[in-house]
């Protein structure tokens, strides 16, 4: 065994020496391909693991008792994630994008080795059991850690390690959504990687590589494929209204999230946090079943004008579904999704705000269009278009990343015909939120502590 270990060490040293002889430009291109490929495989593994937990583990528990047990599943997932983090990881792996920003700002872009896989495991348990969070931020942390550790292993300089970290983040987003442009733009816009040719090329290579591998394993399936209504210039003022609504919705989203997580953070007893957070989450899911898990399935149904997805398996299933009832349910889901997400993370779960941002954005778009259609009978706004554009508006305001929002929604829906309303709503939301919030939800925590050094440039 020791001889095998010795041979492996010799091969590793030989590989490092060989790579060091390659020109910096060629080396960066090669490592970008490797980073993108590994990030894609990690993203595929995360999706498969979430699906396995949802169908196998939860199905096994369901066979033991009443179907009402599903209300306890999120708490079980949070508890298992808490045990994994406390006794195995022994490090803080929550808020993945914030941790990546912190590493760039304070740690010379160096992420720990365990970050290459621990977020995948913990978030898969949390989300697979119904935790009301997203998988994208943990995946960004995983992809960034892959790039960072490749650079550290080869003893590269800070600038190159930072580019590889960004390449990992770009590959992660690209693989999660099959959206290479959005992956690259997210890294430039949110992580603030330098906008230079030497940085953009590795990001694009990693994103394209990750997307290609994702296509091979999962196929060219759009996340929100739907029949989009033709865009009408007469509806442009309503998209501006939607942008303003998304901005104020984002203000609530950001401040409520930080406030609730702050309350959990002040509590020193882990079991108390778990008990309170799990109980609140269970009650909210009982009242509004769409809060269970990421919620992408509900958004897909709304994009096909199927509002039954809002009331299935709920207290309101047998109630006459008039427009005002649907509007009340949409408002409740929007308001309490933020509480459910914050309670999931605050109680010990591992997940991000990326997915919930898309979810509440879709809910906001559906609410605004249905409200206008209900109050003004003459208005027949295409609700599926507004649901789609609402996701971009909310992302633009919460993350303060309008370009990422525009290209991501266009790529994951095939909705390039809606480019004008996507641009209009995202821009209005971004400009409006700027009057109330200087920082995005990712950067506000670091800015308060004076630990944000990556956003002092335009």
């Amino acid at each position: 065994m020791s001889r095998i270990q010795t041979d492996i060490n010799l091969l590793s040293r030989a590989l490092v020496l060989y790579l060091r002889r390659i020109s910096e430009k060629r080396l960066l291109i090669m490592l970008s391909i490797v980073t993108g490929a590994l990030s894609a495989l990690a993203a595929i593994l995360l999706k498969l693991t979430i699906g396995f937990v949802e169908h196998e583990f939860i199905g096994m528990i369901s066979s033991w008792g009443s179907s009402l047990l599903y209300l306890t599943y999120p708490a079980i997932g949070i508890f298992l994630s808490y045990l994994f983090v406390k006794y195995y990881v022994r490090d803080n792996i929550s808020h993945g994008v914030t941790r990546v920003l912190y590493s760039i700002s304070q740690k010379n872009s160096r992420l720990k080795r365990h970050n290459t896989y621990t977020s995948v495991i913990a978030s898969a348990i949390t989300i697979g059991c119904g935790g009301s969070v997203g998988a994208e931020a943990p995946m960004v942390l995983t992809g960034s850690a892959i790039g960072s550790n490749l650079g550290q292993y080869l003893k590269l300089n800070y600038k190159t390690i930072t580019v590889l970290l960004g390449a990992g983040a770009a590959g992660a987003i690209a693989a999660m959504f099959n959206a290479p442009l959005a992956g690259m733009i997210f890294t430039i816009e949110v992580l603030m990687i330098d906008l230079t040719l030497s940085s953009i090329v590795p990001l694009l290579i990693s994103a394209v590589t990750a997307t290609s591998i994702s296509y091979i394993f999962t196929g060219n399936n759009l996340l929100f494929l739907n029949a989009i209504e033709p865009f009408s210039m007469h509806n442009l003022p309503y998209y501006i209204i939607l942008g303003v609504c998304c901005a104020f919705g984002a203000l609530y989203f950001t401040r409520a999230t930080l406030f609730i997580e702050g309350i959990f953070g002040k509590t020193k007893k882990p079991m108390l946090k778990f008990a309170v957070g799990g109980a609140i989450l269970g009650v909210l899911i009982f009242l509004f079943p769409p809060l269970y898990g990421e919620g992408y399935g509900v958004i897909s149904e709304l994009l096909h004008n199927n509002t039954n997805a809002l009331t299935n398996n709920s207290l309101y299933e047998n109630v006459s579904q008039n427009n005002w009832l649907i509007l009340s349910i949409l408002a409740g889901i929007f308001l309490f999704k933020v509480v459910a997400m914050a309670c999931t993370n605050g109680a010990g779960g591992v997940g991000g705000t990326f997915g919930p941002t898309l979810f509440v954005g879709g809910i906001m778009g559906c609410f605004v269009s249905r409200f206008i259609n209900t109050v003004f009978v003459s208005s027949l706004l295409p609700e599926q278009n507004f649901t789609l554009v609402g996701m971009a508006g909310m992302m633009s305001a919460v993350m303060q990343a309008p370009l990422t929002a525009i290209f991501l929604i266009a790529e994951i829906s095939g909705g390039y015909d809606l480019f004008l309303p996507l641009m209009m709503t995202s821009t209005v939301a971004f400009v409006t939120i700027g009057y109330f919030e200087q920082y995005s939800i990712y950067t506000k925590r670091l800015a308060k502590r004076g630990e944000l050094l990556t956003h002092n440039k335009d």
Side-chain angles (χ1 to χ4, degrees), residues 245-280:
C245 292
C246 285
F248 284 102
L251 187 66
Y252 163 74
F253 186 99
T254 301
R255 294 187 177 179
T257 298
L258 297 180
F259 175 75
I260 295 171
E261 289 182 354
I263 293 175
F264 277 97
K266 294 176 182 177
T267 305
K268 303 302 181 183
K269 299 178 180 179
M271 287 298 102
L272 178 60
K273 290 195 287 187
F274 161 72
V276 173
I280 293 174

Side-chain angles (χ1 to χ4, degrees), residues 178-194:
N178 285 348
L181 274 176
M184 181 188 73
I185 295 171
F186 170 86
T187 305
I188 295 171
E189 199 171 27
V190 176
L191 301 186
M192 286 292 173
I193 301 298
D194 288 328

Side-chain angles (χ1 to χ4, degrees), residues 197-436:
L197 190 62
S198 60
S199 298
I200 291 176
V201 172
L203 299 182
L204 189 56
I205 290 173
S206 176
V208 171
T209 302
T211 305
S212 301
I213 292 177
S214 180
Y215 279 154
I216 292 172
F217 286 94
T218 64
N220 187 12
N221 296 321
L222 296 176
L223 182 60
F224 295 124
L225 182 62
N226 68 101
I228 297 172
E229 293 290 327
F231 169 66
S232 172
M233 285 296 295
H234 296 293
N235 294 334
L236 200 57
Y238 299 112
Y239 285 110
I240 295 175
I241 293 172
L242 176 60
V244 174
C245 292
C246 285
F248 284 102
L251 187 66
Y252 163 74
F253 186 99
T254 301
R255 294 187 177 179
T257 298
L258 297 180
F259 175 75
I260 295 171
E261 289 182 354
I263 293 175
F264 277 97
K266 294 176 182 177
T267 305
K268 303 302 181 183
K269 299 178 180 179
M271 287 298 102
L272 178 60
K273 290 195 287 187
F274 161 72
V276 173
I280 293 174
L281 188 57
V283 171
L284 291 179
I285 291 174
F286 175 72
L287 295 174
F288 300 101
L291 299 180
Y292 186 93
E294 292 178 294
Y296 287 153
V298 175
I299 297 299
S300 295
E301 293 297 327
L302 291 180
L303 289 172
H304 290 87
N305 290 324
N306 179 19
T307 56
N308 290 331
L310 299 172
T311 57
N312 287 339
N313 302 316
S314 72
L315 298 172
Y316 328 105
E317 190 168 18
N318 297 321
V319 180
S320 175
Q321 293 191 19
N322 59 62
N323 283 336
W324 292 108
L325 173 64
I326 296 299
L327 285 170
S328 300
I329 293 172
L330 286 169
I333 291 173
F334 178 89
L335 292 172
F336 290 114
K337 177 65 176 182
V338 179
V339 179
M341 175 192 69
C343 286
T344 300
N345 282 324
V350 176
T353 59
F354 198 117
T357 300
L358 287 176
F359 178 84
V360 298
I363 296 295
M364 173 65 80
C366 185
F367 176 87
V368 170
S369 57
R370 181 164 283 250
F371 180 82
I372 293 173
N373 285 336
T374 301
V375 175
F376 305 101
V377 182
S378 59
S379 300
L380 292 175
L381 302 180
E383 292 182 11
Q384 63 270 43
N385 288 15
F386 275 74
T387 300
L388 202 59
V389 174
M391 289 190 281
M394 189 63 65
M395 178 181 291
S396 175
V398 171
M399 302 181 186
Q400 300 202 7
L403 292 176
T404 303
I406 293 166
F407 283 98
L408 178 65
I409 300 306
E411 285 188 289
I412 66 178
S413 65
Y416 289 97
D417 292 339
L418 292 179
F419 229 74
L420 183 58
L422 284 172
M423 293 170 63
M424 180 63 71
T425 300
S426 297
T427 302
V428 170
F430 175 71
V431 171
T432 305
I433 193 68
Y435 287 101
F436 303 95

Side-chain angles (χ1 to χ4, degrees), residues 147-168:
S148 174
N149 278 273
L150 275 175
Q152 293 178 57
Y153 180 74
L154 296 174
K155 295 180 170 58
L156 302 178
N157 58 44
Y158 164 72
K159 180 180 178 182
T160 306
I161 291 176
T162 302
V163 173
L164 287 175
L165 178 149

